[in-house]
């Protein structure tokens, strides 16, 4: 396993699901890990789990849509632990809705959490990053390049995250900061898949649509995150890495079929 002893890692949206799996993996690899999400009880539970792994952990109850709150959390983490080595931006919202049924506020809510939230987290991290050496990683999805009915809000938000990733990779590469994204496929035991595939029929359709014929695990994603943020990936920046069992190869039609059941 990649060694992150004494590295400082900040995970926005790191209190459940895929992002908590990533936070825990960094903690097991020796990092000091800070997590941020809206609900205090989730923050407390996540920091307790991280401390149980054995390392230092801290948590912040804040909304990624609130730039000042995000900025204060990053500043407090750096003040306590020193320059930040890894920033993960994974907070997101999702639900199924046809565009015709979606209110402007519902569209805005998801774009604000996913896209504006990612901008806020990455931009606010800049003064506190280890330069050179820091790595930023956003969690996107195949909806960013595959148009997907019932997902117009997510498609728009995640497409924006991909371009934020590529643009920051160009602007911040000169400072020795790498900026990448991971696009997970369907991951078992997550809030995201409980919303996208609420029935066993839909779950089977998703499984069938994955060339590797299974849902991914949180560990599939955390392993890729640890690698992509490490020295082993030191010449990789500006990429969106699919960690999805090949599901995106099926294109929009496979995603749409699974999503519509
Ligand atoms: N279908 C259609 N519209 C929905 C909806 C749904 N299932 N759920 C919420 N909305 C609408 C609301 O009606 C509201 O619009 P309105 O003001 O026009 O009525 C708008 O979205 C905002 O809802 P609100 O509950 O105030 O938003 P929030 O900021 O508190 O929560 C969500 C954001 C809606 C994305 C919420 O589902 C959430 O917090 N999700 C986080 C967890 C998650 O989605 N995990 C999976 C990640 S892939
Ligand atoms: P999840 O458990 O719901 O994780 C979302 C996290 O973000 C939670 O910690 C949540 O905690 C936090 N959050 C939500 N809104 C926030 C806000 N406004 N401000 C701060 N924190 C906020 O979902 P998941 O399914 O594991 O998804 C994690 C990431 O993977 C997302 O980016 C998602 O788009 C991506 N993804 C998931 C799948 C999948 O199969 N699940 C597939 C592709 C991509 P609070 O409620 O406390 O705020």
């Amino acid at each position: 396993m990649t060694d992150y002893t004494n590295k400082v890692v900040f995970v926005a949206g790191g209190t459940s699901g895929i992002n908590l799996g990533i936070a825990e993996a960094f903690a097991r690899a020796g990092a000091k890990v800070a997590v941020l999400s809206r609900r205090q009880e989730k923050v407390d539970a996540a920091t307790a789990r991280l401390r149980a792994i054995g390392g230092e952990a801290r948590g912040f109850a804040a909304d990624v849509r609130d730039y000042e709150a995000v900025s204060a959390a990053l500043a407090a983490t750096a003040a306590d632990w020193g320059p930040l080595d890894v920033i993960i931006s994974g907070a997101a919202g999702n639900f199924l809705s046809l565009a015709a049924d979606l209110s402007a506020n519902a569209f805005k809510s998801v774009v604000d959490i996913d896209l504006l939230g990612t901008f806020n987290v990455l931009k606010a991290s800049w003064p506190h990053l280890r330069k050179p050496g820091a790595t930023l990683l956003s969690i996107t999805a195949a909806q960013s390049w595959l148009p997907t009915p019932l997902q117009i809000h997510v498609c728009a938000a995640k497409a924006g995250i991909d371009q934020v990733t590529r643009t920051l990779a160009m602007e911040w590469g000169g400072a020795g900061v790498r900026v990448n994204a991971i696009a997970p496929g369907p991951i078992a035991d997550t809030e995201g898949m409980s919303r996208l595939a609420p029935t066993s029929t839909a779950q089977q359709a998703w499984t069938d649509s994955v060339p590797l014929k299974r849902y991914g695990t949180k560990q599939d994603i955390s392993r890729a995150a640890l690698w992509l943020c490490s020295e082993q990936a030191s010449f990789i920046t500006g990429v969106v890495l699919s960690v999805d069992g090949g599901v995106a190869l099926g294109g929009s039609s496979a995603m749409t079929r699974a999503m519509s059941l």
Side-chain angles (χ1 to χ4, degrees):
M1 183 170 56
T2 311
D3 185 18
Y4 281 91
T5 303
N6 288 327
K7 299 285 187 190
V8 179
V9 176
F10 186 99
V11 187
T15 62
S16 62
I18 291 170
N19 306 319
L20 177 57
I22 293 172
E24 289 177 333
F26 275 108
R28 277 192 290 274
K32 300 172 185 175
V33 181
V35 292
L36 176 149
S37 83
R38 292 167 300 178
R39 285 179 275 174
Q40 187 69 56
E41 67 275 16
K42 286 183 69 174
V43 171
D44 291 343
T47 47
R49 283 175 67 134
L50 292 167
R51 287 190 186 118
I53 290 169
E56 289 183 59
R58 29 180 331 173
F60 300 92
D63 194 311
V64 291
R65 292 168 284 193
D66 179 348
Y67 182 83
E68 296 306 325
V70 168
S71 187
L74 287 156
T77 304
D80 277 5
W81 291 342
L84 302 173
D85 296 288
V86 176
I87 308 289
I88 310 285
S89 176
N94 198 358
F95 48 80
L96 295 170
S97 177
L98 290 167
D101 300 330
L102 191 70
S103 72
N105 190 44
F107 181 88
K108 180 178 186 302
S109 296
V110 170
V111 170
D112 281 358
I113 297 169
D114 293 30
L115 176 54
L116 178 63
T118 291
F119 174 79
N120 286 345
V121 169
L122 302 187
K123 144 87 181 162
S125 75
W126 173 253
H128 310 294
L129 295 176
R130 187 180 303 283
K131 303 188 209 64
T135 307
L136 317 185
L137 182 68
S138 295
I139 309 301
T140 181
Q143 289 93 317
S144 71
W145 70 94
L146 296 176
T148 311
L150 299 156
Q151 290 278 272
I152 192 168
H153 43 331
V154 176
C155 290
K158 296 294 196 184
I161 289 175
D162 292 4
Q163 285 297 69
V164 164
T165 300
R166 299 182 186 106
T167 306
L168 283 185
M170 294 189 74
E171 291 198 10
W172 293 359
V177 173
R178 297 189 296 114
V179 190
N180 293 301
I182 283 177
I187 304 302
D189 303 321
T190 59
E191 180 65 26
M193 285 317 292
S194 74
R195 291 173 180 230
L196 297 187
T199 65
S200 56
T201 312
Q203 286 156 19
Q204 190 58 50
W206 271 101
T207 305
D208 292 344
S209 71
V210 178
L212 289 180
K213 300 300 171 204
R214 67 169 176 89
Y215 272 33
T217 64
K218 290 167 201 160
Q219 193 182 43
D220 287 324
I221 305 303
S222 62
R223 281 181 176 154
L226 259 64
W227 172 76
L228 194 48
C229 293
S230 77
E231 272 300 299
Q232 294 173 47
S234 61
F235 205 46
I236 299 177
T237 196
V239 306
V240 175
L241 177 66
S242 293
V243 184
D244 69 349
V247 71
L249 299 173
S252 284
S253 55
M255 299 259 295
T256 303
R257 211 165 30 248
M259 208 81 75
S260 303
L261 289 167

